[in-house]
């Protein structure tokens, strides 16, 4: 006998969990399907920025995280020791494994059911429902629902793409990270840009108690060995700053990223919705994606509910994403355009480091202050640069 529910969510990470919380709290029968059991490790930078903090406060989970996370008040960007700038923005580092477990259990407490299985890529859809084929414990299961939300991240891409007739965009970034223990006097997160390879970047995020999340990323597919690049970066950082070497306390692991809402045109197809990294919710340039994963999960669930309530009304998920979410990506795309190329990167770094007003405006974007995403444009950036040289 087929199991029937209102909404099935494939993937129990931040996007899927928040979608489940939203749907279940609204009174809809909701099933979260994930091939992993929680808690489980997830490759991530572990940084929670303004958009993440806002959603977590809405979910009444922020107090739990803020008490255990490591709070920083600024974020620094470096090309070298003499060319850098800092921005005023709050960042809390909190292990992704713990965050996902907290969100997932909140979804269960909200009324979601959970099935330890994975999506095979096979589905059948008609005007009123969708039938999914899942695999669990060497068994094949069929789940019937009114709406399915795919929140699979960048994992299981072949199965997800099969459901979309191979039309979805491939990941465009790849990052590796590990946990490093060292006696370093570093209190704020920092990004570093490779002078020889403008498309590559590295980060050091303090976690507290002399633990650091350290990683690096590059355009996907990656031409070189990122793990070796990361180890060399850490060695050079310690040497350059006259710091003692530490030690890796975890393996260096990697994951693919999909950025810039690259699958926006497939956000809502029939009874299928995309959320989180499957949608491309990660920011280009910074690689931060937790906040927008949660936000798109919430919006996907709200859209699913409206489709169930009034099947004849036009689907508005794509329109909502374009209006409420897409504008936040424009400054990051501009940053990626200008800061991953030489000599524009060096020129812009110099201008930002010398102009407090420009740093204030960029900080407003990171803090998602109202209307801030409209402040910066290529024309406006060029005006600031010209002022710097005058």
């Amino acid at each position: 006998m087929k199991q029937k529910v209102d909404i099935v969510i494939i993937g129990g990470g931040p996007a899927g969990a928040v979608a489940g919380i939203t749907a279940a709290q609204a009174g809809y029968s909701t099933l979260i399907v994930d091939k992993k059991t929680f808690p489980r490790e997830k490759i991530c930078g572990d940084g929670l920025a303004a958009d993440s903090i806002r959603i977590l406060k809405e979910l009444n989970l922020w107090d739990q995280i803020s008490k255990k996370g490591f709070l920083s008040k600024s974020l620094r960007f470096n090309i070298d020791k003499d060319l850098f700038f800092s921005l005023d923005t709050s960042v809390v580092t909190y292990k992704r494994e713990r965050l996902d477990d907290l969100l997932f259990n909140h979804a269960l407490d909200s009324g979601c059911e959970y099935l330890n299985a994975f999506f095979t890529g096979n589905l059948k859809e008609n005007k009123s429902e969708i039938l999914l084929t899942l695999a669990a414990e060497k068994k094949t299961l069929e789940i019937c629902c009114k709406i399915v939300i795919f929140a699979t991240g960048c994992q299981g891409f072949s199965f997800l793409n099969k459901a979309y007739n191979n039309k979805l965009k491939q990941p465009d970034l790849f990052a590796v990270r590990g946990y490093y223990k060292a006696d370093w006097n570093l209190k704020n997160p920092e990004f570093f840009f490779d002078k020889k390879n403008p498309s590559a970047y590295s980060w050091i995020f303090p976690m507290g108690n002399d633990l650091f999340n350290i990683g690096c990323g590059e355009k996907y597919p990656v031409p070189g060995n990122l793990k070796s690049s990361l180890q060399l970066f850490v060695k050079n950082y310690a040497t350059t700053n006259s710091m003692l070497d530490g030690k890796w306390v975890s393996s260096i692991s990697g994951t693919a990223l999909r950025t810039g809402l690259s699958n926006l045109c497939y956000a809502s197809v029939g009874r299928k919705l995309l959320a989180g990294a499957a949608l491309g919710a990660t920011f280009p340039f910074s690689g931060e994606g937790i906040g927008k994963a949660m936000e798109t999960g919430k919006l996907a669930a709200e859209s699913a509910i409206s489709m169930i309530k009034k099947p004849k009304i036009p689907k508005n998920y794509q329109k909502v994403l374009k209006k409420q979410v897409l504008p936040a990506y424009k400054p990051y795309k501009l940053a990626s355009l200008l800061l991953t190329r030489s000599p524009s990167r060096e020129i812009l770094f110099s201008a930002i480091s010398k102009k407090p007003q420009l740093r204030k405006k960029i900080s407003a974007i990171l803090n998602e202050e109202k209307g801030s995403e409209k402040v910066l444009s290529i024309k406006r950036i060029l005006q600031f640069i010209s002022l710097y040289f005058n």
Side-chain angles (χ1 to χ4, degrees):
M1 184 176 179
K2 301 182 185 72
Q3 182 178 349
K4 288 192 174 184
V5 294
D6 291 324
I7 299 169
V8 170
I9 300 165
I10 310 294
V18 173
I21 293 165
T22 305
Q25 289 184 349
Y28 291 84
S29 58
T30 306
L31 174 67
I32 294 178
V33 177
D34 200 294
K35 64 182 180 180
K36 298 283 188 179
T37 56
F38 291 77
R40 52 98 172 99
E41 186 179 13
K42 185 70 176 178
I43 309 304
C44 184
D46 295 332
L48 301 175
D51 54 351
S52 299
I53 295 170
R54 171 172 52 81
I55 296 291
L56 291 167
K57 286 180 177 178
E58 292 175 5
L59 295 172
N60 295 317
L61 296 174
W62 176 242
D63 286 345
Q64 296 181 55
I65 292 172
S66 62
K67 290 175 183 177
K68 297 179 180 179
F70 185 84
L71 175 64
S72 304
K73 290 293 187 179
S74 69
L75 182 61
R76 177 162 156 157
F77 296 83
N78 307 268
I79 288 183
D80 57 36
K81 287 189 69 174
D82 299 318
L83 188 53
F84 63 88
F85 61 87
S86 294
L87 301 174
D88 295 327
T89 185
S90 294
V91 178
V92 172
T93 47
Y94 188 82
K95 279 195 174 182
R96 180 67 185 275
E97 179 180 358
R98 296 175 183 172
L99 174 68
D100 286 12
D101 190 47
L102 183 65
L103 288 168
F104 177 76
N105 281 292
H106 190 39
L108 297 185
D109 292 341
S110 299
C112 290
E113 294 182 61
Y114 161 64
L115 178 62
N116 182 207
F118 68 88
F119 175 56
T120 65
N122 296 318
L123 57 81
K124 295 179 182 178
E125 183 178 359
N126 59 36
K127 291 183 179 180
S128 61
E129 60 186 20
I130 189 165
L131 183 66
L132 301 167
T133 302
L134 308 174
E137 296 181 350
K138 299 181 180 179
K139 295 186 296 185
T140 299
L141 306 173
E142 288 187 330
I143 306 292
C144 185
C145 62
K146 296 173 183 176
I147 305 291
V148 59
I149 298 173
F150 289 108
T152 55
C154 283
Q155 311 305 313
F157 180 71
S158 60
F159 298 111
L160 181 60
N161 211 18
K162 181 179 178 182
Y164 282 81
N165 298 315
N166 297 312
K167 293 180 179 180
L168 297 181
K169 296 288 187 180
Q170 293 277 358
D172 54 284
L173 285 179
F174 193 88
V176 298
R177 74 98 174 96
Y179 291 108
Y180 194 79
K181 194 84 172 177
D183 184 15
W184 291 350
N185 185 27
L186 182 62
K187 302 299 183 184
N188 296 306
E190 298 196 26
F191 281 101
F192 302 82
F193 297 92
D194 193 328
K195 296 185 76 171
K196 297 180 180 178
N197 183 1
S199 68
Y201 65 98
S202 304
W203 70 82
I204 301 179
F205 284 6
M207 305 292 296
N209 298 318
D210 293 331
L211 183 67
F212 299 89
N213 179 316
I214 306 182
C216 63
E218 196 170 341
K219 288 183 178 180
Y220 183 79
V222 178
N225 187 325
L226 272 187
K227 290 184 180 181
S228 297
S229 297
L230 181 59
Q231 291 170 330
L232 180 60
F233 162 74
V234 172
K235 183 178 180 180
N236 290 340
Y237 176 82
T239 301
T240 302
N241 293 279
S242 301
M243 292 178 168
L244 296 174
D245 289 336
K247 64 177 181 178
W248 293 101
V249 293
S250 76
S251 61
I252 298 174
S253 304
T255 187
L257 304 170
R258 189 182 291 109
T259 73
L261 293 183
S262 56
N263 280 322
L264 179 60
C265 60
Y266 301 108
S268 179
V269 179
R271 296 186 168 276
K272 305 186 295 289
L273 305 180
L274 294 175
L279 176 65
T282 301
F283 281 130
F285 178 65
S286 72
E288 198 278 322
I290 299 174
K292 287 295 173 280
M294 293 191 290
E295 186 173 353
T296 57
K298 179 175 181 286
L299 294 173
E302 290 173 348
S303 181
I305 291 168
S306 69
M307 291 166 67
I308 293 172
K309 281 183 176 179
K310 299 179 180 179
K312 293 184 179 180
I313 65 171
K315 296 187 290 292
N316 64 354
Y317 182 46
Q318 227 166 347
K319 293 180 180 179
V320 170
L321 289 172
K322 287 181 179 179
K323 182 179 180 180
Q324 296 186 23
V325 182
L326 183 61
Y329 288 79
K330 293 180 179 179
Y332 290 85
K333 290 180 178 179
L334 179 60
S336 182
L337 176 67
L338 295 175
L339 294 177
T340 59
R341 292 167 172 80
S342 293
S344 63
R345 180 179 60 179
E346 285 75 10
I347 294 172
L348 190 55
F349 255 74
S350 296
I352 295 172
S353 66
K354 299 294 184 181
K355 291 291 179 182
Q357 187 180 2
L358 183 52
R359 294 197 299 275
K360 184 178 180 180
K361 291 180 183 298
I362 298 173
S363 296
I365 291 173
L366 295 178
N367 296 326
E368 293 206 335
E369 295 176 14
K370 188 175 181 180
S372 60
E373 75 279 355
K374 299 176 182 179
V375 172
L376 291 183
S377 63
I378 291 180
K379 180 179 179 181
R380 192 71 173 145
I381 289 288
L382 292 175
Q383 288 175 346
F384 274 108
I385 293 174
S386 65
L387 287 173
Y388 165 69
F389 284 110
N390 290 332

